[in-house]
């Protein structure tokens, strides 16, 4: 255990006072994003305050001179090291672990919301280990060089500091060198926060109740003084007790969604015939806080099942197909409580932090054998269904009950049941939102929240990527026009591999078109990128040659998990396949996104192409390594199967 003199402690205290915002920002960056922003903000402040060491007095042995020790480190270096150790210790703890944090009642604290760049960086960081986030923080927030960062990481207890630095350098490169400016923005500043109430809707009522209660207590106090009895403890409800009180549930006004800049689950009103059933709501809260042994609990990847730490928001309570259902929202998660007749209760948890108009437009309120129902957001004016495998067919209208629950919708075929259809829902937002967004598609992938489908067409000839992005101006668009529907008709069946993975959105990016050998027509290369709520993304590269049927799935050229490829931070991609021409000859085909200026094949096939596409004669089993060369000299390897 480190020994610190009184002078060390005084220097450390001065450093914390002087550099407090800097230390809290570093702690916030290193802490697990799975904790949620509110708890992460409070924990970051708590860790820095706990980083102050204690002075330990030691008497030197008699007859021996005091030994000269190493020169003392600066007070700031000491508290920074202790802050890092405390923050790194949270890695891998369920739900971020428990610790002593500053207490905030009635408010949720969040750093200021950033733009698309900050959100994308936050997602990339959430997929990285704490040691990598620490390395990036020491570089960009502390300004240390590689040797100094390695030394600090070693002292903080990181087992492989070199590996952490390499991973941090890779992530930093994927951001195009913009991480330094983004990490110093308000999105990552836990000292400049926005506060949102947890119980604003009933505060006026509580004032009246409090005044009445004060009068009762005053009378009760007189009676107690006369009788000499009663409970004088004066204990107030703890936040945990308040969270389990159904009368404290937050209820958003019905029309708030039409008069707010935050269009997400926080704008949903409480709906359902049992929204006033205090017994049902109390049971749901108690099962959430302390699930019985026979309760069935499911959670999407990266979602905590921790009990509520404040009164959640009520979204729905009612009977759905003979099952009593309660849906709650705590600012970061949706929790669906289901109470079947004569059966054990179930809980389903799903992350929904940073939801928006599309990803917060609906949730799965009920599910059965081959069907499901949505509960719609109040800003959805109309919903219909369509089959992705029938791109030319018009959508079919869907009835919606007054409480926002849809009729039953067919679900996609189960795994192993073939792929003859792929039903999705088409949502049309209300004109009351002002500038009316276009209709959009949501697909059910067995999670509590459906997946938003988008499309990015191939770049027009001569078009360059603005700001190093793989997208034309405006980015991905809604997948509802004929070109987008034709693309999704050929890639829809690959969505089955994403079931239950906590996917937020999937974008089909037609990154290249290639003229096939022997006059066989024109093929399209598509990168389907799945973004998850927890941050990491995965890609599937499709090769789509001309086909007799509009739903022919083509070939899967490669897959990659936990990658930035085909995203803003990985705006380059290369794919390759072996293809057989009508003559019977086999070719190695490869293509890269627009910034790929040349392609090289090595190994069993040796060929080079001075453009973004390559076609070379090759046997069907010839193993080849394909690398694309960017115009700035960097290289990109093909995504492997």
């Amino acid at each position: 255990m480190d020994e610190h003199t009184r002078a060390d402690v005084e220097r450390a205290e001065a450093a914390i006072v002087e550099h407090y915002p800097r230390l809290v920002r570093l702690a916030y960056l290193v802490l697990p994003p799975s904790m949620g922003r509110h708890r992460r903000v409070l924990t970051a402040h708590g860790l820095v305050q706990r980083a102050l060491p204690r002075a330990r007095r030691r008497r030197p042995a008699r007859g021996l001179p005091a030994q000269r020790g190493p020169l003392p480190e600066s007070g700031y270096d000491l508290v920074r090291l202790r802050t890092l150790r405390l923050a790194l210790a949270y890695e891998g703890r369920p739900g971020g672990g428990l610790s002593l944090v500053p207490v905030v009642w009635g408010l949720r604290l969040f750093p200021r919301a950033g733009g698309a760049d900050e959100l994308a960086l936050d997602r990339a960081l959430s997929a990285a280990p704490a040691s990598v986030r620490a390395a990036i923080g020491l570089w960009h927030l502390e300004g240390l060089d590689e040797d100094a960062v390695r030394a600090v990481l070693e002292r903080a207890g990181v087992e492989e500091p070199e590996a952490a630095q390499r991973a941090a350098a890779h992530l930093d490169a994927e951001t195009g060198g913009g991480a330094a400016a983004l990490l110093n923005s308000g999105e990552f500043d836990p000292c400049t926060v926005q506060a949102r109430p947890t119980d604003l809707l009933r505060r006026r009522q509580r004032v009246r109740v409090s005044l009445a209660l004060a009068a009762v207590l005053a009378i009760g106090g007189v009676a107690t003084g006369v009788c000499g009895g009663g409970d004088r403890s004066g204990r107030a409800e703890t936040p945990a007790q308040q969270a389990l009180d159904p009368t404290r549930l937050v209820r958003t006004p019905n029309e708030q969604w039409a008069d707010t800049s935050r269009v997400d689950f926080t704008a949903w009103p409480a709906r359902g015939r049992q929204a006033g059933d205090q017994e049902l709501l109390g049971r749901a809260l108690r099962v959430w806080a302390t699930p019985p042994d026979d309760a069935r609990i499911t959670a999407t990847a990266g979602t905590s099942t921790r009990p509520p730490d404040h009164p959640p928001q009520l979204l729905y309570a009612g009977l759905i197909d003979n099952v009593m259902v309660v849906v709650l929202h705590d600012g970061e998660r949706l929790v669906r409580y289901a109470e079947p007749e004569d059966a054990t209760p179930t809980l389903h948890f799903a992350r929904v932090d940073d939801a928006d108009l599309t990803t917060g437009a609906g949730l799965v309120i009920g599910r059965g054998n081959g069907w499901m129902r949505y509960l719609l957001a109040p800003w959805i004016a109309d919903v219909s269904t369509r089959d992705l495998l029938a791109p030319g067919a018009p959508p079919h209208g869907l009835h919606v009950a007054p409480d926002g629950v849809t009729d039953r919708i067919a679900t996609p075929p189960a795994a192993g049941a073939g792929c003859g259809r792929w039903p999705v829902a088409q949502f049309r937002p209300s004109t009351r939102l002002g500038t009316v967004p276009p209709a959009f598609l949501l697909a059910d992938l067995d999670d509590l929240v459906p997946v938003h489908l988008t499309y990015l067409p191939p770049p027009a000839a001569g078009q360059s990527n603005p700001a190093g992005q793989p997208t034309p101006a405006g980015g991905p668009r809604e997948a509802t026009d004929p070109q987008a529907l034709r693309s999704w008709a050929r890639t829809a069946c690959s969505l089955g591999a994403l079931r239950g993975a906590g996917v937020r959105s999937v974008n089909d990016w037609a990154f290249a078109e290639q003229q096939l050998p022997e006059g066989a027509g024109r093929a399209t290369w598509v990168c389907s990128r799945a973004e998850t709520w927890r941050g990491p993304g995965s890609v599937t590269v499709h090769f789509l040659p001309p086909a007799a049927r509009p739903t022919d799935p083509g070939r899967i050229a490669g897959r990659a998990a936990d990658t930035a490829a085909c995203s803003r931070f990985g705006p380059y991609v290369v794919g390759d396949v072996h293809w057989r021409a009508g003559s019977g000859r086999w070719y190695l085909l490869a293509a890269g996104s627009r910034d790929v200026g040349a392609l090289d094949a090595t190994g069993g096939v040796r060929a080079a192409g001075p453009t973004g596409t390559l076609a070379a004669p090759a046997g069907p089993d010839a193993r080849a390594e394909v690398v694309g060369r960017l115009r700035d000299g960097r290289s990109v390897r093909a995504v492997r199967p």
Side-chain angles (χ1 to χ4, degrees), residues 457-509:
Q463 185 180 44
S464 61
N465 296 337
Q469 301 178 47
T471 65
R477 67 195 194 197
E478 300 304 339
T480 51
D481 63 74
Q483 185 182 23
L485 292 172
R486 287 194 297 270
S487 176
W488 270 106
R490 303 193 66 179
T491 61
C493 293
S494 65
L495 289 172
L498 303 173
R499 282 187 172 95
V503 175
R504 174 192 181 103
S505 62
V506 182
N507 179 52
D508 255 12
W509 173 29

Side-chain angles (χ1 to χ4, degrees), residues 3 15 36 137 203 266 270 311 314 325 347 391 423 498 520 562 582 625:
E3 301 289 345
R203 196 159 288 171
T266 62
L314 175 64
V325 176
L347 287 171
L498 303 173
D562 297 333
E625 194 74 29

Side-chain angles (χ1 to χ4, degrees), residues 205-351:
Q205 178 183 358
R206 289 182 186 175
V207 170
R208 293 195 297 264
V209 173
S210 298
L211 292 174
L213 181 60
V216 172
L217 290 177
I219 297 173
V222 173
T224 300
V226 172
C227 301
D231 182 6
R232 300 173 182 242
S233 62
R235 296 189 185 93
E237 278 189 320
T238 66
Q241 291 172 323
Q242 294 177 5
L244 300 182
D245 184 353
T247 65
R248 293 178 179 269
L249 287 171
V250 176
R251 298 170 185 260
T252 302
N254 289 338
E255 298 299 314
Q256 180 168 309
W257 65 270
D259 190 27
T260 179
S261 61
R262 185 178 180 183
V263 185
D264 58 12
F265 287 106
T266 62
W268 282 42
R271 289 173 288 177
R273 291 188 176 182
Q274 273 67 46
D277 187 339
Q278 301 301 317
E279 290 188 7
L280 171 64
L281 300 177
R283 288 198 303 274
L285 290 168
R286 289 192 296 273
V287 171
W288 179 3
T290 311
D293 293 338
D294 59 349
R296 294 176 51 210
I297 301 175
T298 58
T300 56
T303 304
S304 168
T305 60
R306 68 180 185 273
D309 56 8
H310 65 280
Q313 175 190 357
L314 175 64
L315 302 187
Y316 187 87
L319 190 65
I320 303 293
D321 296 291
N322 297 319
V323 177
M324 202 62 74
V325 176
V326 176
V327 182
L328 303 166
H329 176 236
D330 72 349
E332 299 163 8
R333 300 171 294 170
L334 288 179
V335 182
R336 185 183 65 190
Y337 167 81
E339 189 180 87
E341 291 183 350
D342 302 324
T344 58
T346 64
L347 287 171
H348 194 157
F349 296 83
R351 280 185 63 170

